[in-house]
Amino acid sequence: MIVDRQGRRFRNLRISLTSACNYACTYCVPNGKRLVAAQDELSAEAMARGVAYLIEAAGIERLRITGGEPLVSPKLEAFMTAVGQMGLEDISLTTNGQLLAKKLPLLVNAGIRRINVSLDTLDASAFRGIARGGDLATVLDGMDQASAAGMKIKVNMVPLRGQNLDQVMPLLEYCLERGYELRFIELMRMGHLASDSNAFLQQFVSLQQLLDLIGERYEYLQADAPVDATAVRYEIPGMGHFGVIANESVPFCRTCSRLRLSSTGWLHGCLSSSNRHFVGDLLDKPRHQALPALQRLLVKALGDKQEVAFSGGATVMKIIGG
Ligand code: SAM
């Protein structure tokens, strides 16, 4: 097992199945263009082999499939079928929900029981302004259907000053009523926001600001969360839970166990580091050749992690897999 001086190791793998996305969220894609897949994306088979090798070489136990938008990828079915047979403790998926209803049978058959759906507002016009793609009613219907099919749903919302702060309470209530857990994600200094401090600070909403807002209507208590959790979790007694991924306010680098593999074969040990390590060529090699080389790169990737706090990264979230 590869462990660093702080006792951190890679336990959670995030796979960006494709960098293509049917949205162009303002905080993720500055030019508003919806991305097509990169020319040199790995095949479903190579990516699945990557997961198998990383289970062995790094001790990966949990997998999250993300992107880009994973549900637009033609690789989805073959990839999920392959990783479903690897004995992982947990496989989950992050999606914008636009194709959720359509892909639900595939996801259910592949054994997915937990999904995170990104949704920044319940206001259709604000939705169009932020996501710059898709349709709000389709997302809500997708969540209803997934919930009826027995899936546990978390909703990811990025609160943005001047754009959707008025949606914090409506979204919280919507989620509490339906048994979904709302996760606020503090805006991260990623991509164009890493170099544009003004744009970041103008939009940033902190954990404390969120708690103040919620505290005006509800009493809440801090709830338990796993040691390497990224979210601070709260309970509203008798009603449900919500969480805040507070990258800025409560940095979680000291306990970070995440490793990322991009759709073009790059390993990223840290969102905040511009270092990345190419493993695409190793995934075509037999196990006995690939594993030693992979282990050397994993040591480097673990060394890329920040000591304490996330300071920002030029990589665009949809490339690296949020
Ligand atoms: N397409 C999928 C989705 O929409 O959930 C998965 C990929 S998306 C990049 C994953 C998550 O990253 C989304 O919840 C999105 O809101 C979040 N995200 C992207 N850029 C971000 C930023 N700069 N700060 C905080 N969250 C960000």
Side-chain angles (χ1 to χ4, degrees), residues 30-272:
N31 63 13
K33 285 198 184 130
R34 278 168 276 179
L35 260 195
V36 291
Q39 287 294 317
D40 50 350
E41 290 204 336
L42 302 178
S43 66
E45 294 69 28
M47 295 200 94
R49 212 157 35 246
V51 177
Y53 286 172
L54 288 168
I55 291 173
E56 264 195 87
I60 294 299
E61 295 163 5
R62 300 161 70 88
L63 173 69
R64 176 169 290 278
I65 304 166
T66 174
E69 172 50 43
L71 300 190
V72 302
S73 172
K75 292 181 282 194
L76 183 70
E77 184 164 10
F79 177 76
M80 298 231 306
T81 307
V83 296
Q85 294 158 5
M86 292 180 188
L88 283 156
E89 205 177 273
D90 184 59
I91 304 178
S92 56
L93 180 110
T94 301
T95 173
N96 60 32
Q98 207 49 231
L99 294 173
L100 187 51
K102 208 166 152 193
K103 300 284 179 183
L104 197 56
L106 192 162
L107 299 178
V108 170
N109 284 341
I112 300 281
R113 297 289 174 267
R114 298 192 312 115
I115 51 169
N116 286 26
V117 181
S118 302
L119 178 62
D120 293 326
T121 175
L122 288 171
D123 177 285
S125 145
F127 178 93
R128 283 192 294 275
I130 298 172
R132 299 187 286 189
D135 162 65
L136 174 64
T138 308
V139 180
L140 300 182
D141 174 57
M143 293 201 294
D144 283 348
Q145 292 197 36
S147 176
M151 286 202 181
K152 212 172 145 209
I153 297 180
K154 284 186 185 153
V155 173
N156 290 345
M157 173 196 194
V158 180
L160 303 162
R161 190 173 322 134
Q163 291 175 68
N164 65 355
L165 255 192
D166 62 331
Q167 291 292 303
V168 166
M169 296 312 293
L171 251 173
L172 181 60
E173 271 151 20
Y174 187 89
C175 290
L176 289 171
E177 277 164 19
R178 287 162 181 77
Y180 308 159
E181 188 163 324
L182 182 57
R183 287 284 161 100
F184 301 100
I185 308 179
E186 276 187 358
L187 187 63
M188 297 172 79
R189 299 170 197 265
M190 292 288 299
H192 64 293
L193 295 176
S195 53
D196 188 348
S197 235
N198 279 345
F200 173 79
L201 292 170
Q202 267 164 21
Q203 298 175 84
F204 179 75
V205 178
S206 71
L207 165 72
Q208 194 53 54
Q209 288 168 312
L210 287 167
L211 293 180
D212 289 347
L213 250 178
I214 294 167
E216 286 173 17
R217 193 160 317 159
Y218 295 114
E219 303 234 334
Y220 56 82
L221 312 162
Q222 194 155 343
D224 286 343
V227 181
D228 62 349
T230 49
V232 194
R233 232 174 137 237
Y234 299 90
E235 180 182 359
I236 302 179
M239 299 198 72
H241 291 82
F242 67 94
V244 186
I245 302 183
N247 322 288
E248 295 279 328
S249 306
V250 188
F252 42 80
C253 298
R254 282 183 200 282
T255 56
C256 178
S257 60
R258 276 159 199 79
L259 174 67
R260 290 179 162 83
L261 177 62
S262 79
S263 58
T264 48
W266 294 88
L267 273 187
H268 295 256
C270 175
L271 278 184
S272 199

